[in-house]
Every structure is written in structure tokens, then in C-alpha cells.
Amino acid sequence: MIDTRNPARPSKTFSRSYVAPELQAHLDQGGTFEEWLAGRTPIASMARISADRLSGDAIGVARQHKNNARNAALHNCTVVVCYEDNNLTAAKREVVRPAFLQMIKDLTHGHEEETGIPVKGCIAVERERVYRLPEDFIALQDALSMNGSGIFIEGRALLSPVEGDAPIIAGPGWPGSVESEVGTIRKRTRRSAKDRAEEGGVPGSPRRFGWLGAEKRHGRLNNEQQNAAEWPYLVQMVKMRAEGRSWGSVTRWIATQKDGEGNPIRTVRGGRWSDQGVKAIITNPAWWGGRILNGDLVRDAGTGEPKLGEWEHADPATDGVGYETWKLIMSGVQSTALHRGMKQAPAAKAAGREVFRTGKYKFSGTLRCGRINEAGEICHSRLVGNAASGRNAKYGDYYRCNDPNCKGVGRQVASVDAYLEELVLSYLDEHYADTEPSTTPWRGMEKLAGLRVQHKKIQDSVADGEVDWDDVHDMLTRLNRNIRTLEAEEQEHLAAEAKRNLLRGWRRESWEGKDLAEKKEVISHVLAAVIVLPIPEGGSDKAPFDPTLLKVNWRQPSHGRVVIAAPAPPHPHPQP
């Protein structure tokens, strides 16, 4: 379930999903889902308002859910999960709608992600509540197609977008109907089918770090056999990055290593290490046996799994790293060049993925101004670090509200950092010291593998002349799109798992070994915000540091996802 509301700063703009109240009440009383369903078709209710001008707690979307529940009954359907995007437009590409995106993913897999409740379609009071842009319509169409049901109810009308009887309305940036847009997409995506390389032969390239060069006398190819002197360092760099260490930390580590004779470990060309060089080595799939060709991993035609090359590569059983490790690392890589032609999944960006900026100060961005402005509201602007200068240099660097219309709250960096750092470490000791990393398997592995096998068989049929390209290009276009959608969701899942496991197995002694970027990321995972209150009237700016003027808002600890039949009430946010 998603919920973007922030209790510390109420807003009309939010997205959330939750179990339908009637179903939740039945489950809370000890009933089962099957009893409550009673042969009806379970569907999702989508509600959205572009501009919430009603005073109250999301009255508009609540009315839409009420109408959806009533209209669903006309078709022997019932609402089991509610999704709502409040105060969010669907007509602008730059506006992200988290609830809509989550509903699309749940429809694709046929069930709500956390609870496992089946979802066979969706209902809305009008189609504009669900989509206005062509890409949103196509996403809905694909999700219903992969779901297998195709149920979409608009008001009281039962439609089938999969069959094309739910045309999109004309919207900004897209004049015309969905038929013309789909036709355009088909023209753009038509191209000759190419066989993917499946032989797994050693690719020709300059010697890579971790492998031996070519040796004609013994018939050894370039990058065919591991270099025993370099391989352990390559594996260790991969492990460090997979554990969440920054690129800078990995680079500094390898730059300080020496071989048995005391010589520094150098790059293949004998040069010094750089972040870019380390990134190129770790993100290259060759170390686990993979290869990228024509913008995709070379895969086995029968299983859809990556085809392992015939050169020596990492063995998960002995080296502790492999394909899954690489996927985890790549889920956090944004550089187009490091993806080596593979299409990057926009899911992380669309889901509002957090970006932690390093800066120079440990708690800049986490601190928020608690001054009451002229409108009678809390300023809540970020406090940023500033270098002390002039006559105030003796007091040291300071945090100051970044709002040019406020500038009303400030604190010394040293005092704030010392107090909050100890608070964070104590919190981590209490909540994460006894935990162990765990990974929840992605629910779409079998579906994605099946689509890849189907895609390969159709391509082979075209290449062998068994079927005509014009007869299958529509199917291939949709398969390509569906595969990309699932790959994007897989990357998002891996990133979420990495984020969830970042603090598990916490050890206080590891804190000093982290650089500033890594410390800030840890802080951002446990602190939602720290409100810095102004010094009380009559107080002096030179008074001793008062920690009671810092109000800490903690994030809720994440110890794993639980699949439930009767959802339990959420745990309250812990207090320090």
C-alpha cells in the first residue's frame, strides 16, 4: 500500500491506496476473503481530482469511490482496493501519479502487491479520472491485457480497452484518437527482426581488469581466463558497491591496496584509479558471465534467462556475487553510458525516487525551519550549511533557513551535528542492531520469463519464414512494451529492496568508515525531518545550545513486507 501524506505537513496533494472499507471490516471480524467475495469479480476503484477545492478530508475522491462501489455491483463486481490521486492532474506528463502507477502494476500481476488481494479490473466514474494522456491509456490497456480480464467500467458502462472500445479523449500534446496514436507507435516500432547472439563466445575487446590477456602460444583468448592477482580485488569492489558503499569509497579502497610485494594495484593500463573507471568495471556484466548486445542482455532462447558466456566469470557459490548482485547494483545506476545501450527504466524516476545530495554538511536538508511566518504557518523551509566568515568566524559554521523571505532560524553546525548524530546512532542501535538482511522475491519473475520466451519464439518464426512479419508486428510491439514495463518494475523492486536492507544488520563501528555521502543516506532513511524552533523571546543568540528546540520526526522502521489476509493496524512512529 502507498501513502504519500506527511503528518508533519498536511497537504491536499497526496496519493494513497487501501483495502476497501467494507472488505477491511469483514476481515477484521474474522471473516475470509472468499466469503466476502461470494462469486463476484474483485476490481479496483480509481479516484482522482485535479484541483481539490472542497474543504474537508478528500471529499471529492471519497464520493467517487462511493459511486464506483455502487456501479460495480451492476456488473457482479465488487471493489476490493481503492486508489486515489488527490489534487493531481492527469493532463501533464511531468506530474507523477503514484496511485495510478501502483494500480497499473497491481493490475498487471492480478493482485495487490502487499496484501495479495486479487484485482481483475478497475472502475472509475469517468475515464478522465484514470487517463488523459496516450501513454497512460496504453499502460492501462497493457495492464488489463496481461491481467487476462480486460474489465474496465466507466460509470455504469462495461468497456474493454484491450479490444479498443474505450478510445481516449483528445488531450494536451496529443490531438486525435488512440487509434491514430497506436498506428504511429506501430510505424515507429516496425523494424527487421534480428537474432540475438546466443553462442556465449568470448567477445573481442581489450583486456579487462580481472582477466588475463591473449596468449597465442597456449591458444588463450583475451579476457578468457581470470587473472588470479586481480580477480579478488574485482570481486571485493562488486561486494562493496552491492552493500551500499559509494563509488568514492570503492575507488579510495582500491587505490590504497597493494599486492604481495608492496606494489599498488593499478588499472589495466597502469594508471591511477578513478570513480569512472571503477564504475565501468562494476557495471560491466562480463564479470558474472553476461553480455549486452543491441541494447539487451543476450538470453537463452528456451528459458529467457541470461546466457552465460564461455569465459571464466564469477561463481555465486564461491565468489558470493552473480547476476542478482549485478541487477541490484544497476537498479541504482542512472548514467546512460553505464547501461551500455540498454533502455533505462523510468519507473524509479516516476515513483519519485529520492536523490541524496552530498553537500558539505551532514544534516543540511534534513533540518527544517520552525519559525511562524506572516501567514501564521510554519515556514518549513530547508536549513542549509554556511561557512562562518568575518567577525563571526570564531563561532564556527552554521545552519540557516534557506528561504529569502524568512532567514529567521539558525544554529551552529558543531552543536547540532554532535547532538543529532548521537541521537541517530542510538536509534539505529535500538531498531536495527539485531536485524538481518532479507530479500523479498519479485512477484513478476515467471511472467517476465514467459514473455521473453514468447517474444523469442515469434522472432525465430519470422526469421525462419514460418510467419509473415506483418502478421505478428502488432503482437511483438505489445510484447516489447510489456517486457519493458516488467523490467522497469523489477528494477524498482530491486532498488526498494536495497533501500529496505540498507540499515539491517547495523553495527555502530561501521559508522566511522562511511564517507559523508553514505552517512547522509543513512540519516535520510531514519529522519523524516528535524524542525528547528526559534530561540524563545528574550533569549540570546549566544546562549548555550538547547536540544529541546529541535523536534525530531522519525521515519517508521522497515523490517520487511508482510502478506496479510486481515491487515493489522499500522505501528505508530517511534519516538527517540
Side-chain angles (χ1 to χ4, degrees), residues 273-305:
W273 289 96
S274 66
D275 286 359
Q276 201 59 32
V278 169
K279 291 177 182 178
I281 291 173
I282 295 177
T283 59
N284 192 325
W287 61 260
W288 57 265
R291 182 182 178 186
I292 297 173
L293 187 65
N294 296 332
D296 197 5
L297 287 172
V298 176
R299 298 182 180 277
D300 184 272
T303 64
E305 292 299 310

Side-chain angles (χ1 to χ4, degrees), residues 159-201:
L159 305 176
S160 179
V162 176
E163 300 299 327
D165 63 356
I168 191 173
I169 62 170
W174 192 55
S177 66
V178 69
E179 289 80 6
S180 63
E181 176 64 17
V182 171
T184 303
I185 294 175
R186 288 172 179 170
K187 291 178 182 178
R188 287 200 305 261
T189 56
R190 286 181 184 175
R191 60 186 180 274
S192 299
K194 291 183 178 180
D195 293 333
R196 300 298 186 189
E198 296 178 353
E199 71 287 351

Side-chain angles (χ1 to χ4, degrees), residues 20-84:
E22 296 82 4
L23 172 57
Q24 183 67 72
H26 179 78
L27 295 174
D28 290 341
Q29 293 172 4
T32 66
F33 177 80
E34 290 72 22
E35 291 173 352
W36 185 82
L37 193 61
R40 297 173 293 179
T41 302
I43 60 175
S45 172
M46 182 70 213
R48 183 188 63 81
I49 282 184
S50 297
D52 188 358
R53 299 184 179 90
L54 299 176
S55 53
D57 185 14
I59 296 175
V61 292
R63 291 172 179 170
Q64 291 182 34
H65 287 310
K66 181 179 178 181
N67 289 324
N68 288 341
R70 182 169 55 245
N71 293 334
L74 301 176
H75 301 280
N76 195 33
C77 296
T78 183
V79 172
V80 292
V81 184
C82 298
Y83 301 83
E84 53 192 48

Side-chain angles (χ1 to χ4, degrees), residues 72-338:
L74 301 176
H75 301 280
N76 195 33
C77 296
T78 183
V79 172
V80 292
V81 184
C82 298
Y83 301 83
E84 53 192 48
D85 288 311
N86 200 61
N87 208 43
L88 288 169
T89 180
K92 297 180 179 179
R93 288 181 171 86
E94 62 269 23
V95 176
V96 176
R97 293 189 289 144
F100 169 78
L101 295 174
Q102 184 63 43
M103 183 186 74
I104 291 299
K105 289 190 289 187
D106 292 341
L107 284 174
T108 298
H109 296 284
H111 61 268
E112 198 280 323
E113 184 173 10
E114 291 189 17
T115 63
I117 293 176
V119 180
K120 300 301 181 183
C122 71
I123 182 172
V125 293
E126 56 188 19
R127 64 191 69 174
E128 293 90 339
R129 301 305 97 200
V130 183
Y131 60 83
R132 289 187 66 87
L133 297 174
E135 53 263 41
D136 291 343
F137 170 82
I138 292 173
L140 174 66
Q141 188 181 48
D142 289 345
L144 293 175
S145 174
M146 286 191 282
N147 183 287
S149 67
I151 294 177
F152 177 58
I153 302 175
E154 179 191 22
R156 299 186 176 185
L158 179 62
L159 305 176
S160 179
V162 176
E163 300 299 327
D165 63 356
I168 191 173
I169 62 170
W174 192 55
S177 66
V178 69
E179 289 80 6
S180 63
E181 176 64 17
V182 171
T184 303
I185 294 175
R186 288 172 179 170
K187 291 178 182 178
R188 287 200 305 261
T189 56
R190 286 181 184 175
R191 60 186 180 274
S192 299
K194 291 183 178 180
D195 293 333
R196 300 298 186 189
E198 296 178 353
E199 71 287 351
V202 180
S205 63
R207 186 179 88 81
R208 293 189 295 265
F209 183 82
W211 284 269
L212 295 171
E215 218 292 322
K216 294 183 178 179
R217 185 170 52 183
H218 297 95
R220 186 180 68 213
L221 300 177
N222 219 22
N223 301 316
E224 183 180 17
Q225 297 178 14
Q226 294 174 0
N227 185 326
E230 296 175 350
W231 186 255
Y233 297 100
L234 188 154
V235 171
Q236 183 59 29
M237 287 193 288
V238 170
K239 289 181 177 178
M240 291 176 68
R241 183 58 188 173
E243 291 169 357
R245 302 300 298 273
S246 68
W247 294 114
S249 291
V250 179
T251 303
R252 286 190 291 274
W253 176 82
I254 186 63
T256 60
Q257 299 304 300
K258 298 181 183 298
D259 61 18
E261 299 178 356
N263 300 315
I265 302 299
R266 297 293 189 183
T267 65
V268 170
R269 297 183 178 182
R272 297 179 179 273
W273 289 96
S274 66
D275 286 359
Q276 201 59 32
V278 169
K279 291 177 182 178
I281 291 173
I282 295 177
T283 59
N284 192 325
W287 61 260
W288 57 265
R291 182 182 178 186
I292 297 173
L293 187 65
N294 296 332
D296 197 5
L297 287 172
V298 176
R299 298 182 180 277
D300 184 272
T303 64
E305 292 299 310
K307 178 77 174 181
L308 296 180
E310 296 176 354
W311 60 91
E312 294 183 356
H313 49 75
D315 182 355
T318 57
D319 295 312
V321 293
Y323 173 52
E324 296 298 327
T325 312
W326 181 79
K327 287 199 299 181
L328 176 64
I329 292 172
M330 295 303 294
S331 68
V333 174
Q334 300 299 313
S335 169
T336 302
L338 294 179

Side-chain angles (χ1 to χ4, degrees), residues 462-476:
V462 173
D464 295 341
E466 297 175 1
V467 296
D468 188 72
W469 173 252
D470 291 334
D471 295 336
V472 297
H473 81 269
D474 286 354
M475 185 181 299
L476 279 175

